[in-house]
């Protein structure tokens, strides 16, 4: 194709983006746009699937039947989110098995938060309140993403994530209003998950390689730092309401800015976890790899049955 033709296609593509017209799978799009989406959506899918592990760890130890049923429903939701998102990557021409193999080989990343252990029942509350809260903050703008299938998947995902966030906050509220030991458990979970939750939004804007282009393409609508600030502003009053203390000595309300000022994130820790050296990185990837290996016979049986039914119809 001539250079002029490519330029014209790119101009028309950007014009649609600027007018907030959704890009659909059969529309022309630049290769970089396609690859950016494949990277982002597949990493999002991996995060949903790997995110089942720290919570699945507590299904058999939930304190009562109601808590167990709610946690089971939540973990099932995460599996569904992963399936929506893997399907969305397939609309871009990606092969689902290849993207999953990239996760298992360490080539593909997922949210750093899931590489931290869940040590107590209060961690189920902290994950729901903080981690799913951060996810909602990040994902609501994605409902207006320029790529249609991703935007539409996010509408349902966000509705379910809002249930997860309320479930987590309810656990933390119950514990914070319980015995001194229960309140201490809730505070300990907040202490351990606060900073990793703020890291979920990714590197600071000055260090982000992808933010500027993703904003220009309207894949993202807000920068990492804008979303992080929004998370702090919303969550700090929630902690104060139930009598918990955010573990940041530098946290204070800034009247001039109309926002909370907060301390510096430990970016060395963030990059160490992203590079695969967090507390549970190896454990999480190995669990997903084993799940695929142990489920091979199910996939083979299903494919064999499908092939047999196809032969029957053909005959």
């Amino acid at each position: 194709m001539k250079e002029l033709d490519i330029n014209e296609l790119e101009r028309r593509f950007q014009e649609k983006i600027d007018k907030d017209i959704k890009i659909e799978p059969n529309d022309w799009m630049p290769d970089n746009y396609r690859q950016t989406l494949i990277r982002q959506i597949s990493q999002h899918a991996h995060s949903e699937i790997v995110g089942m592990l720290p919570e699945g760890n507590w299904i058999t130890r939930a304190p009562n039947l109601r808590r167990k049923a709610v946690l089971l429903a939540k973990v099932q939701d995460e599996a569904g989110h992963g399936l929506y998102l893997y399907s969305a990557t397939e609309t871009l021409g990606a092969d689902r098995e290849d993207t999953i193999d990239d996760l298992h080989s360490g080539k593909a990343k997922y949210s750093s938060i899931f590489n931290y252990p869940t040590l107590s029942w209060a961690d189920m509350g902290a994950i729901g309140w903080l981690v799913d809260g951060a996810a909602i903050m990040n994902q609501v703008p994605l409902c207006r993403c320029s790529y249609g299938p991703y935007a539409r998947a996010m509408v349902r995902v966000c509705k379910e994530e809002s249930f997860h966030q309320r479930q987590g906050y309810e656990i933390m509220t119950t514990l914070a209003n319980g015995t001194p030991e229960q309140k201490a458990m809730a505070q300990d979970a907040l202490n351990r998950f606060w900073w990793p939750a703020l890291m979920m939004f990714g590197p600071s804007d000055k260090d982000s390689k992808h933010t500027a282009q993703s904003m220009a393409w309207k894949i993202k609508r807000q920068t990492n730092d804008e979303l992080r600030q929004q998370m702090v502003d919303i969550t700090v009053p929630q902690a104060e309401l139930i009598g918990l203390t955010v573990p940041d000595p530098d946290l204070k309300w800034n009247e001039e800015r109309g926002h909370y000022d907060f301390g510096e994130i430990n970016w060395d820790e963030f990059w160490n976890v992203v590079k695969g050296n967090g507390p549970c990185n190896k454990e999480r990837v190995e669990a997903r790899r084993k799940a695929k290996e142990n489920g091979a016979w199910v996939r083979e049986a299903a494919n064999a049955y499908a092939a047999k039914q196809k032969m029957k119809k053909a005959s």
Side-chain angles (χ1 to χ4, degrees), residues 194 232 236 240 245-253 260-263:
W194 174 254
V232 173
V236 170
E240 292 174 348
T245 303
V246 171
D248 182 356
D250 297 322
L251 183 71
K252 63 179 182 298
W253 178 253
Y260 282 95
D261 293 335
F262 57 96

Side-chain angles (χ1 to χ4, degrees), residues 68-140:
K68 180 177 289 193
V70 174
L71 186 58
L72 270 169
K74 183 184 178 187
V75 172
Q76 286 178 313
D77 283 349
E78 309 296 4
H81 298 173
L83 292 176
Y84 302 151
L85 294 165
Y86 283 132
S87 295
T89 61
E90 289 178 317
T91 67
L92 291 156
D95 182 86
R96 182 182 303 206
E97 292 303 311
D98 286 346
T99 62
I100 293 171
D101 288 342
D102 286 344
L103 169 67
H104 296 167
S105 70
K107 180 181 177 182
K109 306 299 182 186
Y110 54 90
S111 182
S112 59
I113 190 74
F114 300 120
N115 291 309
Y116 291 85
T118 46
L119 305 178
S120 74
W121 172 252
D123 290 6
M124 298 301 95
I127 287 178
W129 174 34
L130 300 176
V131 176
D132 292 303
I136 292 168
M137 213 74 67
N138 193 43
Q139 292 169 11
V140 166

Side-chain angles (χ1 to χ4, degrees), residues 173-191:
T173 302
T174 301
L175 292 171
N177 291 317
T179 65
E181 292 80 8
Q182 288 173 321
K183 185 171 182 179
M185 186 192 300
Q187 183 65 58
D188 174 65
L190 173 56
N191 291 347

Side-chain angles (χ1 to χ4, degrees), residues 12-28:
R12 292 179 183 179
F13 169 82
Q14 190 61 49
E15 188 176 72
K16 290 178 73 174
I17 297 285
D18 295 339
K19 290 180 178 178
D20 279 328
I21 298 171
K22 290 283 184 280
I23 306 300
E24 299 297 343
N26 291 331
D27 293 342
W28 184 91

Side-chain angles (χ1 to χ4, degrees), residues 23-82:
I23 306 300
E24 299 297 343
N26 291 331
D27 293 342
W28 184 91
M29 63 188 79
D31 287 341
N32 286 344
Y33 178 83
R34 184 186 303 275
Q35 291 308 314
T36 295
L37 282 167
I38 290 172
R39 175 188 56 79
Q40 180 171 327
I41 301 173
S42 64
Q43 288 183 8
H44 191 165
H46 300 330
S47 298
E48 299 284 357
I49 298 300
V50 175
M52 297 163 62
L53 297 172
E55 292 176 307
N57 180 43
W58 279 91
I59 289 173
T60 58
R61 295 179 287 165
N64 56 49
L65 184 59
R66 173 178 172 268
R67 296 292 188 195
K68 180 177 289 193
V70 174
L71 186 58
L72 270 169
K74 183 184 178 187
V75 172
Q76 286 178 313
D77 283 349
E78 309 296 4
H81 298 173

Side-chain angles (χ1 to χ4, degrees), residues 208-225:
S208 175
K209 296 186 297 184
H210 305 291
T211 294
Q213 184 60 76
S214 291
M215 294 281 287
W217 281 331
K218 295 188 179 180
I219 294 172
K220 293 182 68 166
R221 296 286 183 150
Q222 290 174 275
T223 71
N224 297 349
D225 288 340

